[in-house]
């Protein structure tokens, strides 16, 4: 059955604060994704991002290595913007291609076994456990044998995010809809008969200190906090474009995330490869 349209994400993607070209959060997600990609995956890498939003992370991946990407999202605004972006600035790297499709992660119009990587960030926390399992099943269905599923979602062990969100919600309606941070996806994976490739971990502790200003800008009279967000975001994103500093910040972030709980829980599964067959994959 077709789900009724939800205007939440169209509104999110219309907000100028969400229209930046790149963000520090995106670089944290990109480097996490890169650290998890097994060396043996085919090139070009057939990748799909379900709930791609701006699509910028997959597009950045496709600038780093040959990737053929199908970007999928349900929001009309996100899809229109991304189609416009691809029209005027297609992926520049030879061997890489990207297209955008409007579709539902629970019924993606994608062939079974077609992808080496199926991933998303910031999607599953908007659904209850049954829906989370259905989304995992769909991501797994579209993977070829040996393909990698990666999902990054707000982490229930991140106290700072939980407190910050509760604070904002005292004053305004949270613009990203219902959102429940996740503790783990291991039981959901186990119910589907899948095993995680390595332990789940969290990343993005430092992101909280940048993203906090974006959240504060939601409060009445605090729109100016958006300027601080833009400044810090630009600064961290620029520093992370340089490999040396990026590695340092990433290491620091991983240590702090392990100690205090990072913003995002990272879960990965390899199709047809059980945990026992893989060396424990810890983030680099
Ligand atoms: C947090 S955003 C993703 C942001 C993205 N990672 C980026 O870097 O721009 C979550 C996205 O999931 C999309 N979404 C929500 N429910 C969906 C569904 N059922 N099927 C497909 N996409 C969905 C929303 O439209 C939104 O763009």
């Amino acid at each position: 059955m077709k789900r009724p349209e939800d205007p939440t994400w169209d509104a999110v993607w219309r907000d100028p604060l969400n229209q930046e070209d790149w963000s520090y959060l995106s670089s944290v997600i990109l480097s996490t994704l890169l650290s998890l990609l097994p060396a043996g995956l085919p090139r070009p890498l057939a990748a799909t991002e379900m709930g791609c939003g701006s699509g910028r992370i997959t597009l950045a991946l496709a600038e780093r290595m040959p990737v053929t990407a199908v970007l999928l999202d349900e929001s009309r605004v996100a899809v229109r913007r991304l189609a416009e972006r691809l029209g005027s600035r297609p992926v520049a790297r030879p061997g890489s291609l990207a297209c955008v499709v409007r579709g539902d992660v629970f019924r993606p119009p994608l062939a079974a076994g077609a992808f080496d990587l199926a991933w998303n960030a910031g999607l599953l926390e908007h659904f209850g456990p049954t829906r989370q399992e259905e989304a995992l099943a769909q991501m797994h269905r579209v993977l070829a044998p040996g393909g990698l599923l990666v999902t990054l979602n707000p982490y229930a062990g991140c106290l700072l995010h939980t407190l910050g969100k509760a604070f904002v919600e005292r004053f305004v309606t949270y613009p990203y809809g219902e959102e429940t941070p996740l503790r783990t996806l291991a039981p959901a994976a186990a119910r589907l008969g899948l095993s995680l490739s390595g332990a789940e971990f969290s990343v993005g502790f430092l992101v909280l200190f940048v993203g906090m200003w974006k959240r504060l800008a939601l409060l009445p009279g605090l729109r100016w906090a958006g300027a601080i967000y833009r400044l810090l975001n630009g600064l961290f994103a620029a520093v992370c474009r340089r490999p040396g500093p990026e590695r340092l910040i990433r290491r620091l972030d991983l240590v702090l995330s392990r100690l205090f709980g990072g913003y995002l829980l990272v879960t990965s599964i390899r199709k047809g490869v059980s945990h026992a067959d893989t060396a424990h994959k810890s983030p680099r």
Side-chain angles (χ1 to χ4, degrees):
M1 200 179 67
K2 201 170 179 320
R3 292 188 311 131
E5 289 207 12
D6 176 0
T8 306
W9 289 101
D10 282 353
V12 167
W13 294 118
R14 276 195 199 101
D15 184 339
L17 260 187
N18 297 317
Q19 289 172 24
E20 73 246 312
D21 251 12
W22 189 243
S23 70
Y24 172 47
L25 175 59
S26 301
S27 35
V28 169
I29 295 174
L30 177 63
S31 58
T32 304
L33 208 51
L34 284 166
S35 75
L36 292 171
L37 282 182
L41 288 185
R43 298 286 187 276
L45 187 79
T48 181
E49 181 180 356
M50 299 193 188
C52 64
S54 66
R56 60 187 165 217
I57 303 169
T58 296
L59 293 179
L61 183 70
E63 297 289 352
R64 295 268 192 115
M65 61 174 75
V67 172
T68 49
V70 176
L71 298 157
L72 179 129
D73 204 285
E74 196 178 51
S75 154
R76 285 181 194 279
V77 176
V79 169
R80 195 187 61 233
R81 277 191 206 287
L82 190 47
E84 281 166 10
R85 175 183 171 160
L86 289 173
S88 60
R89 268 189 297 154
V91 185
R93 188 189 170 101
S96 283
L97 273 177
C99 71
V100 57
V101 175
R102 182 163 180 261
D104 183 359
V105 67
F106 302 111
R107 298 185 315 155
L110 305 173
F115 295 93
D116 309 307
L117 171 69
W119 82 280
N120 57 38
L123 178 66
L124 301 189
E125 74 274 18
H126 301 289
F127 301 99
T130 310
R131 283 307 225 175
Q132 289 173 2
E133 216 172 296
E134 285 171 22
L136 284 182
Q138 286 297 337
M139 291 169 74
H140 190 260
R141 179 186 68 81
V142 302
L143 282 179
L148 182 72
L149 183 165
V150 180
T151 178
L152 301 98
N153 303 281
Y155 176 42
C158 179
L159 196 63
L160 276 182
H161 173 59
T162 308
L163 292 176
K165 181 170 176 285
F167 176 74
V168 168
E169 282 175 329
R170 287 187 59 173
F171 302 98
V172 289
T173 309
Y174 201 60
Y176 308 103
E178 285 292 316
E179 180 190 305
T180 311
L182 275 65
R183 176 73 51 190
T184 170
L185 281 169
R191 280 191 295 274
L192 293 167
L194 311 174
S195 52
L196 305 186
S197 39
E200 291 172 298
F201 59 95
S202 75
V203 294
F205 185 78
L206 293 172
V207 164
L208 296 165
F209 297 93
V210 178
M212 149 183 123
W213 295 98
K214 194 174 182 177
R215 300 286 189 269
L216 284 176
L218 297 169
L219 302 182
L222 290 189
R223 197 66 190 170
W224 55 264
I228 302 186
Y229 165 70
R230 284 197 191 89
L231 190 79
L232 285 176
N233 184 47
L235 191 74
F236 270 83
V239 170
C240 286
R241 280 202 185 94
R242 302 162 70 95
E246 193 274 339
R247 225 171 297 126
L248 241 153
I249 291 188
R250 179 170 160 71
R251 290 224 178 102
L252 177 65
D253 180 78
L254 280 168
V255 171
L256 293 171
S257 296
R258 198 171 301 139
L259 287 175
F260 304 112
Y263 173 43
L264 295 171
L265 174 75
V266 184
T267 309
S268 63
I269 293 168
R270 267 194 95 180
K271 186 164 183 165
V273 181
S274 79
H275 182 33
D277 300 337
T278 51
H280 173 73
K281 186 91 184 154
S282 59
R284 290 186 291 263

